[in-house]
Amino acid sequence: MLEAYYKPASLEEALSILDDFAGRARVIAGGTDLVLQLMHKEVAADVLVDISGLRQLRKIREENGRIVIGALSTHTDLSESSLLQEKAPLLSAAAGSVGSLQIRNVGTVGGNIVNAQPAADTAVALLALDATAKVVSLSGEKQVLLEELYSPLGGSNLNPCREILTEISFAPLSKSKAGGAFVRLARRKAVALPVLNVAVVIHSEEAKGALTDARIVMGPVALTPFRARKAEQVLRGSFPGEESFCRAAGLAADEARPRDSRFRGSAAYRKELARVMVLRALTIAQSNLDGQGVNR
Amino acid sequence: MSKGKELSFTLNNKPVTVEVEPHTILLDLLREKLGLTGTKRGCGEGECGACTVIVNNEAVNACLYPAWKVENCSVLTVEGLGSEENLHPLQEAFLETGAVQCGFCTPGMLMSSYALLQKTPDPDDDEIKTALAGNLCRCTGYVKILEAVKKAAYKMKQSEVNEEK
Amino acid sequence: MKKRGWGLGCMWYGIGNTGMPNPSGAFVELLDDATVILLTGCADIGQGSNTALAQIVAEELGVALEMVKVVSADTGVTPDAGATSASRQTYISGNAVRKAAETAKKPLKEKAAALLKVAEEQIEFRDYKIFPSFDPKCALPLKNVIRECRRDGLLTLGHGSFNPDTAELDKESGRGIPYATYAFATQWAEVEVDTETGEVTVLKIVAAHDVGKAINPKAVEGQIEGGCSMGLGYALMEEVILEKGMILNPGLSNYLIPTFKDMPEIISLIVEEEEETGPFGAKGVGEPPLIPTAPAILNAVSNALGIHFTELPLTPEKILSALHEKNNKGAFQEGDLDA
Ligand SMILES: Cc1cc2nc3c(=O)[nH]c(=O)nc-3n(C[C@H](O)[C@H](O)[C@H](O)COP(=O)(O)OP(=O)(O)OC[C@H]3O[C@@H](n4cnc5c(N)ncnc54)[C@H](O)[C@@H]3O)c2cc1C
Ligand code: FES
Ligand code: FES
C-alpha cells in the first residue's frame, strides 16, 4: 500500500524526494505500465513521484540539428507530431501503433523506454534512429546511447528510484540520404502487443548509391529490443536492392532468438516472420529514401 | 500507514474536494467514493475501455489512472454528458440507431466518441474506428455504434447551425 | 502477396431446448387508462426481449408500445420464462405473452361483441379501438369498453404460457422431435490473406437470416451484427488456452476478441418465412448469427489459398505453416514453450 503520492513542481524537487526516500520512492509518468505492475506486486514502491506535471519534459522540437523529445511526451503527441511525421515517420508510426487511444493519450515515450520491454514500440523505433538519452540524477546529468540503457539480461539500467530520463534525441532522417520504416504484426488489428515489430533506418550518400549505414531493430525476439548486427553489417557498403535486402533479411532471421510462445506463436514461425518483415521494412525504407514512398 | 489528503478537481463541470488516499485509482474514486457508477469496470487492466472518462479533453482509462493525477483537472464522466430529461446528441443517436444492447460498453463508448467529436467534429469511418478501438463491445459488432457516432456528429453540427441562426 | 477469397457458410439451428419441455409463462393486465402491465420471467441481457415482448403485447391489444410497462426477470413477482438461451425467448416467451394478452382481452371481446351485436370471432383490436373486422367504421373506443367491463366487476387480466411441441429423443436411435421450429441462415465472407505472414483481413460479411418474422428489425440486425463479430473472433483469434487444466489467458489482455478495427462492413439480410406456430410468425435469432461466420471465413481463406482448413482459431501461423507445407518447405515445429 502506498504511503504517499507526490506531484513535484520541478525536476529538482522530484530528484530530492526520490533521494529522501532512498529507494522506497519511484518515478511514475503515465502509469500505464506501473499501475498494473504495482497492483500485481511485480514492482514494489512505498511512494510515487508523479512527474507528469513537469511541462518542460513534454516537447517535440528540433534543436541544433537534432530532434529532441521530452520523456513525458505521450504516444499521441508523437503520432500526431508533424515534425516527426516529416523527419522521423517511423517513430510517429510506432507511437500510433501502441495500444488504444486511451493508452496513447497517457502512456509516455519515457515510460516505454524505462519499462524496457523487448518489443516496446517507440523504443524499437528510437533504437533504429540511434537515439541518445539524457538521464538526470542528483549527481548530475549524463547523455547515454539509448542502447546502453538496456541491461543485457533484460530490463533497464536506469534506476527510477534515483534517476529520471528527461529527453531523447536523434538526428532527423535527412531527405534523400536516409529512409526508415516501422512494420508490425499483432494478433488483431488494434490494442494488441506485437507478435513481431521491426524498425529499420538506412543511409546513403547519393541516390541509388551504396548504403553507408543501416540499423535493424526488432522485438520481441530477445530479452531486449534486438539489433540484427550481422544483417546491418552486410548492408553497409552494399547497393540497395532485392538481392542485398533478401540477404540481410535472411541473416536477421538467423540472428533473432525468439522463443516459442503459446500466445505469439512458435519460434520457427516468428523467425520466418522476421525475415518477411525485415525485407518489407527495408523495401519501404528504400522507397522512402528515394523519396517515392509514403515515408513510413 | 497511508494517509488521505484533500484532492480538488472539476467533476462534470462542478468543483469537488474529496479526501483521497495515495493508492486510489480514479475509477474507484468515481464509483466507490463519489457514487458515480455510470463509469464501468470491465477488465481493470486497460484493455476494454468500459472505464473511459475524459480528463482535460482526452479519453483515458480510469482503471489505470491514479486519482491524484486529476488534481486541478477537469474530469467528465457519462453522468456529466446529459441527463435523462436532456440527453446529449450522442446518447440520442446511440438510442435511435440501436447501438446499445447490454449497455456495459456504452458509457465508455459515449465518452470516447465525445472526445473524438470535440477534436474531430466530422470524422470519417477510419477515424471513428481508431478512436474507439480501445472500447470493446461483445454485443453489437460495432456496426450500429459506427452509425450512431456519425449520426451524432451530424446532429451536433445541425444544432450548431441552428444556434448560429 | 495478398490474395482474396470468398466463402459461404450455411446453417440451420433448432429454437428452444433440445427434445425436452421448456415452457414460459406471462401475466398481462390492461388498466382503465389502457396502460398495460406485462410480467414475464424473461431476462433481457441486451438482446431486446423487453422491447420485442412488449411489441407483441401492444400489437395483440391494439395499443401503442409506450403503453406497455414491462416487469421482467424478477423472481419475486414474474412467472418462470425459462432461460435466455437456446435462441428461444422471442418464440417461446413471445407466444406466452401473446396468449396472456389474448386472455386479458377476452372480457373486452365479449363485451364489444354484445354491444356491436356481432360474433366474437369478428372482433378486432387496433389503435385503441375495438371494431368488427368487416366494418372498422363502427368502432368502440377501447377505454369505453374497459369501463363497461369494470361496471360489471370484470378485470381485464390474463395469463398465458407456451411450451414448444417437442418429443423426447429415443435413447437408441436419437430420433424424436427435438425442436418445434428451426432458424436458417447463410453467410458470405470476403477475405484478404497475406501469403507471407498468414494475416487475414475480413473485408465484408453478408448475413442472410430467416427469422420467421422480424418483430423488431433493428434488434434483429443487432443480433446478426453482434453474432458476426463473435463468429469472426471464433474464426480467427478467440481461444481458451489450457495447460494442465489451468486457463493461461483468463483476461482480456490475452483472450482477444475483435475490436472496432477488426470488424468489416456487415450487410444483414432479414428473411421472413413465417413460422405458423410463432408469435406473429416469429422464430429466434440469438445464436444463429455466430454459427455460419467461421465456416464462411474459413471457406473464404480456403478459396484464396487452395488449402482446406479445419482447425479454429485459424491463426496466421497455421495459415503460413500450411502454405509452407504446400510449397514443400515444411510446417513450423514447436520446441519448448515459454508462454
Ligand atoms: C492495454 C495496454 C496496451 C498497451 N499496448 C502497448 C503497445 O502496443 N506497445 C507498447 O510498446 N506498449 C504498450 N503498452 C505499455 C505502455 O502503455 C507503454 O510502455 C507506455 O509507454 C508506458 O509509459 P507510462 O508513461 O505509462 O509509464 P509508467 O507506467 O508511468 O512507467 C513505466 C516505468 O518507467 C518508469 N519511468 C517512467 N517514466 C520515467 C522517466 N521519465 N524517468 C525514469 N523512469 C521512468 C517507471 O518508474 C516505471 O518503472 C500497453 C499498456 C496497456 C495497459
Ligand atoms: S476497466 Fe478500464 S479498460 Fe477495462
Ligand atoms: S452493448 Fe454489450 S458490450 Fe457493447
Side-chain angles (χ1 to χ4, degrees), chain A residues 26-27 29-34 75 99 103 108 111-112 120-121 160 165 184, chain B residues 46:
Chain A
R26 189 183 183 102
V27 166
T32 58
D33 280 317
L34 189 57
H75 297 299
I103 296 289
T108 64
N112 203 231
D121 288 298
L165 171 65
R184 183 187 205 266

Side-chain angles (χ1 to χ4, degrees), chain C residues 216-277:
Chain C
N216 187 317
K218 201 172 275 178
V220 170
E221 283 171 16
Q223 292 297 294
I224 295 175
E225 292 154 1
C228 286
S229 78
M230 295 181 201
L232 185 144
Y234 183 45
L236 300 176
M237 63 186 84
E238 292 188 36
E239 183 175 23
V240 175
I241 302 175
L242 288 170
E243 198 171 80
K244 295 189 185 125
M246 297 285 286
I247 294 177
L248 296 182
N249 56 341
L252 285 171
S253 57
N254 272 320
Y255 182 91
L256 301 190
I257 69 171
T259 70
F260 227 120
K261 288 212 149 180
D262 295 278
M263 289 311 296
E265 178 188 11
I266 299 170
I267 297 172
S268 309
L269 302 174
I270 297 176
V271 178
E272 294 185 311
E273 176 82 26
E274 197 168 312
E275 165 57 43
E276 274 176 18
T277 65

